[in-house]
Amino acid sequence: MNLEGRKIIVNKSSKELSELLKSPENYKDFMPDGLQKFETRDNGFKFGLQGMPEIALKIDEVDEQKAVLKSASSSLDFTLTATLNPISENQTEVQMLFEGKFNPFIKMMVEKPLQNFINTLTDKIEAYK
C-alpha cells in the first residue's frame, strides 16, 4: 500500500530541515491535534492519537534529500519518507510518502486514517516556522 501527501514548499533549506528531522523530540510539533501520548526514544518516538493504537517509529535515515522513519514494531512493516528537494537556498519542496505491507483487511481499515495523518503532517510541516 502506497500513499502520498501533497507537495509543499517550506521556507527552510534542506540542510535546516534535515537537522530538524534528525531529532525525535521535534516530531511532536508535527503531530495531529488528537495527540494523547508522545514519548521520545534513543532513535525515534512513540505516539498515540485519539481512536488509534499507539505507533512507535524509529528514525532510520536522514540526509539533505530525505528523512526515513520505519515502524519499530515487527508486526507492522512500513516506512514513512519525507522527500526533501531543494528549490533555492531557503526553500525546499517536501512530500510525505508512505509505503506499507498490509493484508487486504488491515489495508481497508488503515488506509483512510493513514492518509488523513499524512495530510495533517504535511499541513503542520508547511506551517512550521
Side-chain angles (χ1 to χ4, degrees):
M1 177 173 82
N2 296 323
L3 300 171
E4 292 183 2
R6 64 187 172 86
K7 291 181 179 180
I8 56 170
I9 306 297
V10 178
N11 291 321
K12 292 194 178 304
S13 71
S14 61
K15 183 176 171 99
E16 284 178 279
L17 279 174
S18 66
E19 287 302 315
L20 181 77
L21 297 173
K22 282 179 185 175
S23 182
E25 57 272 2
N26 291 335
Y27 286 86
K28 186 173 185 177
D29 295 335
F30 305 130
M31 291 290 122
D33 294 335
L35 186 66
Q36 294 187 314
K37 179 180 187 174
F38 189 89
E39 293 175 4
T40 58
R41 297 171 168 202
D42 289 344
N43 62 343
F45 55 94
K46 183 177 189 177
F47 67 97
L49 298 173
Q50 193 171 343
M52 287 182 67
E54 288 182 6
I55 297 172
L57 295 169
K58 62 181 179 182
I59 300 171
D60 187 57
E61 176 185 356
V62 179
D63 60 35
E64 291 185 29
Q65 282 83 43
K66 65 184 175 296
V68 180
L69 304 176
K70 288 191 173 185
S71 170
S73 166
S74 58
S75 61
L76 293 173
D77 183 9
F78 69 86
T79 58
L80 180 62
T81 303
T83 61
L84 309 176
N85 183 18
I87 294 174
S88 68
E89 233 177 79
N90 297 317
Q91 284 193 320
T92 305
E93 180 186 74
V94 179
Q95 184 177 27
M96 303 299 295
L97 305 171
F98 177 90
E99 187 178 330
K101 295 181 177 91
F102 301 122
N103 69 44
F105 179 72
I106 298 290
K107 179 185 175 193
M108 186 177 70
M109 288 185 0
V110 301
E111 191 166 16
K112 187 172 183 188
L114 276 173
Q115 186 66 60
N116 290 339
F117 177 67
I118 290 167
N119 293 344
T120 301
L121 283 179
T122 300
D123 292 345
K124 296 263 185 166
I125 292 169
E126 186 174 39
Y128 191 76
K129 301 289 180 216

